[in-house]
């Protein structure tokens, strides 16, 4: 086989990456459909039984709104129970705060926080439900679910920050069509979802997470006016403050109870105004208090734990009803309930079931009629989703042909079962209607009919909401195949490189250590990590607790290194005649110290956040510190920050150079470090932070300085570094073996390594400072520990020289980065993404910028490791790998950059492809949306992170190299020309 | 209740294992011309040292820290020490070369080394694999801290024993064949 050249290598790598990107995007768009929905909106046809020809409703749309309203009323046969609706959304309020959990009353402080609401609940005039929200528990998809009754696609999360107008059939559109006037106060997501529907609106942005006061005042300031006015039919209030309180301080934040009190005051105000206006021209009003989602103990949301999905639905104004403990409904049940109560057609894609208690005040026939309407709507949806619905030629034939549905047909498939249930209910309803005149059996029949209807509705709703949508199998397979090809390409490339270096060069390298050529235990381990990880990812529990795997692997890896060091340690001790024995065993002890540092800091990192899903309640260091109070957290944070900055500056100073430019780089990093410290001490308050102009400005200045310095260093350093034959090398590189003089003459190796060293540290320092600024205060110490771990492993590998193959080192680094990812508190649920940090230093709302910041915060550790690879490369001495006879520029570059770029790409592509297969296999698993899909999003983001990191490494390396080579060439020709002249 | 019972069980078993080991160590040590007393005292000294090393290793790998786990960790480390350290300590005492040969390089020579090396490595590897079910949410009592790890260690130890026995038999068999 022809040897790989640098061009060939890079071309194949780039092709592989591009193919992988294409495959990944094919798969993602195939697997996460944006949202499958029935087109159009429900009209008057929804009050007739489903028939074959759905063309009767075209005339509806042209009707003026008041005529349409009376038409609907006439057709539905249910007089609307209310004239006005007040929908109060309290963002992020867990139902547990109001209704308690498992039949127990809520926490005492929360109960006392909402005295008025609790009294309403106790007297029965408010009916409360635990409304189970579907994941992802993020505001926009939840709002859509509440108004349309449909369960949105998973990728709605991605669009949460890019809200677009809602085109599907929904309650607000239906209300608008019958001429309702609507007013919206609060979260501007509503205005983006329904741009032209509101008569008046005052939107507040949900993006300033640190503001907990002004957001709600901006809603409440209009409340008095609006309640007094009588021109609206629907008033939407969306309070964001409680969610913000949660994001900042978690469930048990000191701000929580005052916020609940504030909400209680609002409820009291609205309820008393409803009571006053009872019976006058403003009409009967229904107050519905809902929350879009709950929150975890830390106040985050997005996942599917009980804490996050436990949202509230509270109806005030219905017939009194006291529960022993609040029943559980689904959040989507709110939509059909409201539609039927207010006499509009149920939205077309609704999957919800009307709430029983809401119709208590209706007469029996009206109640059954409402059930029938809901059943018809669900049947239409079922029919659309199941073209083979075997309901006896449904919908063309008559329904009442129930003799033909044999009982044997009933139990075969879900479709048959649903069909049977429907037929049964419909038959009971007809017989009830025919017997209505006779008083005798009417009540019993009514009850059994209602029960049959509910049974059908419940099971149909269950089936529809669980049903995974049809996926384009071809696209998925194509995407998977493309990803597979690219990972095979990349791994093949890496094995070619391995063979070339470690086997092709065997003759020359015979003087090297034995372990260079043998297949040693740590290499087997590195490979088995990937295999074990892939196997573990098929289990949902292991996906939830993935961090344990990484911690376990990384510490096992270090223990193996320890063993290896011990091996070499006394093999020197045995050959006591060896002249360099003393120095070498000193080296060994130094390496052992490095490993102990790695192990200890790894253990502390592991204990810092109790991540995952099942064991989050166990004590960990961060909880312990937070309980101890900010007087402990703050000094710790400051000390860690100062240590991080001084380690970085020390490393930058350790290179001895005279150039003015170096001094400037150091000075600027010192200044920005001081600015970050200033920000920490002055603005990063622990619980009470608000949008502060000074803070934002300071952060923006820091961003600008860091960005300019880093880019400036990268671009200018190769041009400015003094070219000379004298040795300039990092101080910790004193034991580098002598270079081949010919290489040193031809290639600017020393300068190359020096500039990569400085650039690498510039990257590291810049990234660390950014993290100090953005991460939560509690995460400052983990950043310090991560930095220590990186430095320790670089030193370890530097000192161990050729004991380890380079790819093992790089893979070790990559694993270290993944373990650090979880040590910073991340997990495989969307709930742990730090939303609050994503708005630091952003003065006006920008989805793009806060998205980038969120990525920077979440992928702090993997990116950090990839960036530190630049520094790692510079400490390696590649001289022993260069084959003197065929030295050329490309080969050298390939030696330096080959593995640092290939190894992360290969590991990541194998994991990505394997996980894609897992996701495909698990697509009917119960936890596919709650466990496997979020994990897949994380895997995709890790892929992006790896691409970016590798690109930075490769680009920096090649740019520096080519600039230096050009300068060297010029210098050489100048020397020659002076000689010849 | 159950947990404390388990931990006391494992303590008892660790002492039993320890005594078995001392006996075995004695049996092995005989050809080396060591006195039994010396071997026993070496084993007794090796027990806490090995326990300490095992505890450090387990903590580095993520064993829970805390007072409520203290007793369990101690009994587990005693068990591990008696599976891994004590036999070698009985036979070789504190001779660094032998320790290095057996544990760092895994280059046993002769059946005696195999009898020491394979079970000890088996116990460590078994314990490593035994830790895997711990983070899962099966909510079984045996998922608690040292229990499944101990099971894994004992399992690996037994496997190592069998393996070393087989190897030793094969070696001797091979030698005899060669001799013939």
């Amino acid at each position: 086989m022809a040897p790989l050249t640098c061009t060939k290598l890079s071309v194949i790598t780039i092709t592989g990456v591009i193919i992988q990107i294409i495959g990944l995007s094919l798969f993602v768009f195939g697997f996460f459909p944006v949202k499958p929905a029935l087109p159009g909106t429900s009209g008057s046809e929804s009050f007739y039984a489903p028939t074959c020809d759905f063309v009767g409703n075209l005339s509806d749309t042209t009707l003026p709104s008041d005529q349409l309203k009376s038409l609907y009323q006439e057709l539905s046969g249910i007089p609307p129970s209310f004239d006005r609706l007040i929908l109060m959304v309290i963002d992020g309020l867990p139902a547990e705060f109001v209704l308690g959990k498992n039949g127990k009353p809520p926490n005492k402080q929360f109960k006392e926080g909402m005295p008025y609401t609790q009294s309403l609940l106790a007297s029965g005039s408010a009916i409360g439900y635990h409304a189970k929200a579907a994941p992802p528990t993020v505001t926009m998809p939840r709002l859509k679910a509440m108004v349309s009754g449909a369960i949105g696609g998973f990728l709605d999360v991605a669009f949460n920050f890019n809200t677009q107008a809602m085109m599907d059939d929904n309650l607000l559109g239906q209300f608008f069509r019958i001429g309702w006037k609507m007013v919206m106060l609060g979260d501007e997501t509503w205005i983006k979802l329904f741009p032209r529907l509101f008569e008046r609106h005052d939107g507040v942005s949900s993006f300033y997470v640190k503001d907990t006061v002004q957001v709600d005042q901006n809603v409440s300031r209009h409340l008095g006016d609006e309640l007094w006015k009588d021109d609206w039919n629907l008033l939407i209030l969306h309070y964001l403050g409680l969610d913000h309180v949660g994001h900042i301080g978690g469930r048990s934040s000191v701000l929580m109870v005052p916020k609940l009190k504030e909400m209680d005051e609002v409820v009291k105000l609205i309820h008393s105004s409803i009571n006053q206006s009872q019976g006058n021209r403003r009409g009967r009003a229904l107050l519905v208090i809902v929350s879009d989602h709950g929150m975890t103990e830390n106040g985050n949301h997005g996942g599917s734990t009980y804490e996050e999905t436990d949202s509230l639905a509270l109806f005030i104004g219905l017939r009194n009803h006291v529960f022993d403990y609040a029943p559980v409904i689904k959040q989507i049940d709110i939509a059909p309930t409201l539609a039927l109560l207010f006499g509009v057609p149920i939205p077309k894609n609704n999957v919800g079931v009307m709430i029983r208690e809401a119709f208590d005040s209706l007469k029996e026939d009206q109640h059954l009629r409402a059930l029938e309407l809901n059943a018809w709507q669900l049947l239409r949806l079922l029919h659309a989703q199941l073209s083979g619905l075997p309901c006896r030629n449904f919908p063309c034939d008559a329904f009442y042909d129930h003799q033909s549905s044999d009982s044997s047909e009933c139990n075969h498939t879900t479709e048959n079962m649903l069909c049977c249930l429907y037929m049964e209910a419909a038959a009971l309803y007809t017989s009830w209607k025919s017997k209505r005149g006779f008083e005798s059996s009417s009540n019993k029949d009514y009850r059994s009919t209602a029960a049959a209807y509910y049974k059908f509705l419940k099971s149909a709703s269950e089936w529809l909401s669980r049903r995974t949508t049809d996926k384009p199998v071809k696209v998925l397979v194509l995407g998977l195949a493309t990803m597979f090809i690219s990972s095979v390409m990349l791994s093949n490339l890496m094995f070619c490189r391995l063979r070339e270096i470690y086997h092709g060069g065997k003759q020359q390298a015979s003087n090297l250590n034995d372990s260079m050529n043998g297949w040693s235990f740590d290499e087997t381990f590195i490979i088995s990590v990937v295999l074990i990880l892939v196997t573990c990812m098929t289990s949902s529990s292991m996906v939830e607790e993935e961090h344990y795997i990484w911690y376990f692997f990384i510490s096992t890896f270090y223990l193996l290194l320890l063993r290896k060091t011990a091996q070499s340690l006394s093999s020197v001790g045995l050959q006591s005649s060896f002249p360099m024995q003393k120095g070498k065993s000193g080296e060994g002890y130094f390496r052992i110290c490095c490993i102990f540092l790695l192990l200890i800091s790894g253990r502390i990192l592991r204990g810092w956040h109790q991540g995952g899903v099942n064991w989050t309640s166990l004590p960990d260091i961060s909880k312990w510190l937070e309980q101890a109070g900010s007087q402990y957290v703050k000094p710790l944070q400051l000390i860690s920050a100062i240590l991080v900055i001084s380690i970085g500056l020390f490393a930058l100073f350790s290179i001895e150079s005279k150039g003015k430019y170096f001094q400037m780089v150091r000075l600027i990093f010192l200044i920005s470090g001081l600015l970050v410290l200033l920000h920490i001490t002055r603005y990063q308050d622990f619980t009470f932070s608000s949008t502060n102009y000074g803070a934002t400005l300071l952060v923006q200045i820091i961003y600008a300085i860091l960005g300019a310095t880093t880019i400036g260093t990268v671009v200018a350093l190769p041009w400015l570094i003094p070219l000379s034959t004298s040795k300039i090398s990092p101080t910790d590189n004193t034991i580098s073996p002598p270079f081949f003089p010919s290489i040193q003459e031809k290639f600017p190796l020393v300068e190359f390594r020096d500039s990569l060293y400085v650039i690498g540290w510039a990257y590291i320092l810049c990234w660390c400072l950014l993290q100090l600024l953005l991460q939560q205060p509690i995460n400052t110490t983990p950043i310090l520990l991560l930095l220590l771990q990186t430095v320790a492993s670089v030193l370890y590998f530097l000192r161990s020289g050729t004991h380890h193959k380079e790819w093992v080192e790089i893979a070790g680094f990559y694993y270290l980065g993944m373990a650090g990812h979880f040590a910073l508190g991340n997990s495989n649920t969307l709930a742990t993404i730090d939303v609050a940090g994503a708005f630091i230093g952003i003065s006006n709302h920008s989805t793009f910028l806060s998205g980038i910041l969120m990525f920077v915060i979440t992928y702090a550790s993997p990116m950090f490791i990839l960036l530190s690879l630049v520094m790692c490369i510079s400490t390696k001495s590649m001289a022993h790998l260069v084959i003197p006879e065929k030295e050329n520029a490309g080969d050298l570059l390939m030696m330096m950059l080959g593995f640092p770029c290939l190894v992360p790409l290969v590991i990541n592509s194998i994991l990505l492809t394997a996980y894609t297969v897992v996701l495909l296999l698990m697509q009917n698993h119960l936890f596919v949306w709650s466990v496997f899909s979020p994990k897949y999003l994380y895997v995709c983001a890790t892929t992006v992170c790896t691409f970016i990191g590798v690109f930075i490494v490769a680009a920096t390396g090649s740019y520096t190299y080519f600039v230096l080579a050009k300068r060297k060439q010029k210098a050489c020709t100048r020397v020659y020309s002076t000689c010849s002249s | 209740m159950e947990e404390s019972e388990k931990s006391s069980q494992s303590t008892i078993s660790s002492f039993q294992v320890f005594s078995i080991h001392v006996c075995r160590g004695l049996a092995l040590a005989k050809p080396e011309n060591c006195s039994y007393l010396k071997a026993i005292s070496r084993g007794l000294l090796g027990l806490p040292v090995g326990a300490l090393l095992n505890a450090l290793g387990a903590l580095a790998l993520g064993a829970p820290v805390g007072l409520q786990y203290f007793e369990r960790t101690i009994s587990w480390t005693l068990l591990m020490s008696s599976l891994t350290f004590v036999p070698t300590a009985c036979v070789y005492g504190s001779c660094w070369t032998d320790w290095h040969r057996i544990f760092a390089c895994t280059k046993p020579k002769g059946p005696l080394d195999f009898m020491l090396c394979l079970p000890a490595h088996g116990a460590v590897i078994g314990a490593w694999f035994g830790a895997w079910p711990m983070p899962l949410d099966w909510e079984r009592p045996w998922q608690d801290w040292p229990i499944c790890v101990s099971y894994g260690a004992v399992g690996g130890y037994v496997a190592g024993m069998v393996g070393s026995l087989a190897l030793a038999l094969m070696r001797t068999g091979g030698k005899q064949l060669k001799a013939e």
Side-chain angles (χ1 to χ4, degrees), chain B residues 67-152:
Chain B
L67 276 180
Q68 74 266 38
Y69 299 107
F70 188 66
E71 198 195 327
R72 292 187 238 171
T73 310
I74 295 256
S75 28
W76 178 80
T77 49
L78 287 177
L79 172 76
M80 278 308 280
S81 172
S82 55
L83 290 182
T84 55
F85 251 68
V86 173
T88 320
C90 285
V91 177
Y92 286 120
S94 61
C95 176
W96 173 242
T97 333
D98 293 318
W99 280 92
H100 182 259
R101 185 182 72 235
I102 292 174
F103 286 112
C105 299
T106 332
K107 280 174 186 155
K109 21 182 188 184
L112 180 63
D113 277 10
F114 273 109
M115 294 291 276
L116 294 173
C117 171
L118 282 187
H121 279 82
V124 170
I125 293 170
W128 192 84
F129 279 108
W132 278 92
M134 278 177 65
L136 296 175
D137 56 349
W138 298 339
E139 292 175 4
R140 299 293 153 87
W142 53 264
Q143 276 179 291
D144 270 333
W145 151 230
I147 299 171
C148 51
V149 183
S150 313
Y151 286 152

Side-chain angles (χ1 to χ4, degrees), chain A residues 831-883:
Chain A
T832 45
I833 295 176
D834 181 13
V835 184
F839 300 96
I840 294 173
I842 295 184
S843 49
N844 47 0
H845 159 232
S846 153
T847 312
F848 181 67
L849 286 179
S850 37
I852 288 181
L853 285 186
M854 219 180 277
F855 182 79
V856 168
I857 295 173
T858 313
Y859 281 88
S861 162
M863 201 63 177
F864 174 71
I865 293 295
L866 286 169
L867 289 179
S868 65
L869 280 184
V870 177
M871 189 266 287
C872 178
I873 295 169
S874 75
T875 61
K876 292 264 104 186
S877 65
M878 293 293 149
H880 63 277
L881 293 175
V882 177
I883 303 151

Side-chain angles (χ1 to χ4, degrees), chain A residues 366-385:
Chain A
Q366 291 166 352
H367 188 196
L368 288 182
R369 171 72 177 160
L371 282 168
E372 187 185 43
L373 290 177
N374 198 345
W376 280 345
Q377 181 266 328
L378 280 186
L379 201 62
R380 282 196 178 87
L381 195 63
L382 274 177
H383 187 66
Q385 302 229 343

Side-chain angles (χ1 to χ4, degrees), chain A residues 525 532 536 539 541-542 544-545 548-549 552-553 555-556 559 563 566-568 570-571 574 599 603 606 614-615 618, chain B residues 57-65 69 96-97 100 103-106 121 127-129 131-132 134-138:
Chain A
F525 179 74
I532 296 177
C536 284
S539 138
S541 326
M542 276 297 190
E544 283 172 345
E545 311 295 328
Y548 285 112
I549 305 177
F552 201 51
F553 276 147
S555 27
T556 310
L559 287 177
R563 183 170 172 274
Q567 254 171 39
S568 65
S570 53
S571 69
L574 287 175
L599 281 173
R603 186 64 184 89
R606 180 195 170 114
N614 298 311
W615 314 105
L618 293 181
Chain B
L59 286 181
L61 284 171
V65 187
Y69 299 107
W96 173 242
T97 333
H100 182 259
F103 286 112
C105 299
T106 332
H121 279 82
W128 192 84
F129 279 108
W132 278 92
M134 278 177 65
L136 296 175
D137 56 349
W138 298 339

Side-chain angles (χ1 to χ4, degrees), chain A residues 659-679:
Chain A
K660 265 185 195 163
Y661 185 74
F662 283 84
Q663 305 296 348
M664 214 172 75
V665 170
R666 289 168 196 156
L667 190 70
I668 293 175
F669 272 114
L670 184 64
I671 290 171
S672 42
L674 291 178
L675 283 178
V676 169
L677 284 181
L678 178 73
H679 181 265

Side-chain angles (χ1 to χ4, degrees), chain A residues 395-466:
Chain A
C396 298
D397 278 15
F399 296 108
Y400 314 119
D401 189 15
H402 57 96
Q403 275 85 358
S404 53
S405 70
D406 303 331
S407 57
S408 64
E409 229 179 302
C410 254
N411 292 324
H412 278 319
T413 57
T414 349
E415 293 92 325
N416 272 328
M417 196 195 70
L418 289 175
C419 210
C420 270
L421 287 176
Y422 172 74
M423 306 276 258
E424 214 176 288
L428 280 171
Y429 186 44
T430 16
S431 78
W432 180 83
K433 267 201 257 183
S434 62
K435 278 194 269 179
R436 191 152 41 151
F438 316 105
E439 282 296 315
S440 57
S441 61
S442 171
N443 200 3
K444 200 179 134 227
D445 281 357
Y446 157 70
R447 260 189 240 142
S448 59
T449 313
Y453 265 121
Y454 275 116
K455 199 173 167 200
F456 163 71
L457 289 174
K458 286 260 154 67
S459 37
S461 158
E462 195 67 31
W463 187 83
L464 280 169
S465 52
R466 198 189 296 164

